[in-house]
Amino acid sequence: LISSSALIWTIKKSRAGFTTTYNRILLGMAISDIFMSLGLAHFNFLAPSDVSYYVWNASGNQVTCSVQGFTYFLGAYSGLLYSCSLNLYSLVVVKYNKPDRYIRSKVE
């Protein structure tokens, strides 16, 4: 949570800001990491209280459990997709030697 927030702050304060494709991909990865961390931060506290015999310290309901699961999977799957985007970006920049302008118009 702290490192992702620091990364967002560093990108925002940089000269390029959010104008480059690379910085926008890193921004998406940092936001995905924040969502995944928020989903994991509450651990089992938001689990339904009627399963307290199975889950320690469960004091939530079905809605809180669903919200926790949604934020975790939103962060996990969007992080996976942003990782694939970073791999594609690296392929286009390194192997095919294309500039950021080309990526912004053709790939992105």
Side-chain angles (χ1 to χ4, degrees):
L1 210 61
I2 295 171
S3 62
S4 296
S5 300
L7 180 64
I8 292 171
W9 182 77
T10 304
I11 292 171
K12 182 181 177 194
K13 294 293 181 182
S14 70
R15 178 184 286 195
F18 301 120
T19 58
T20 64
T21 304
Y22 181 75
N23 285 353
R24 286 193 298 271
I25 292 173
L26 286 182
L27 172 70
M29 289 183 80
I31 291 172
S32 300
D33 183 51
I34 288 172
F35 274 114
M36 188 169 152
S37 296
L38 287 176
L40 288 174
H42 301 295
F43 193 56
N44 292 333
F45 180 69
L46 297 177
S49 58
D50 55 338
V51 294
S52 61
Y53 63 90
Y54 182 68
V55 178
W56 179 78
N57 201 17
S59 60
N61 56 24
Q62 188 61 38
V63 174
T64 58
C65 185
S66 297
V67 168
Q68 180 186 10
F70 176 76
T71 56
Y72 173 75
F73 282 109
L74 176 71
Y77 287 121
S78 62
L80 178 67
L81 293 174
Y82 275 112
S83 180
C84 292
S85 298
L86 186 61
N87 290 335
L88 180 65
Y89 173 82
S90 299
L91 174 75
V92 171
V93 168
V94 174
K95 184 170 183 177
Y96 298 115
N97 200 22
K98 299 295 181 182
D100 199 39
R101 181 180 64 249
Y102 176 84
I103 295 169
R104 205 175 308 128
S105 64
K106 302 288 183 182
V107 180
E108 192 176 330

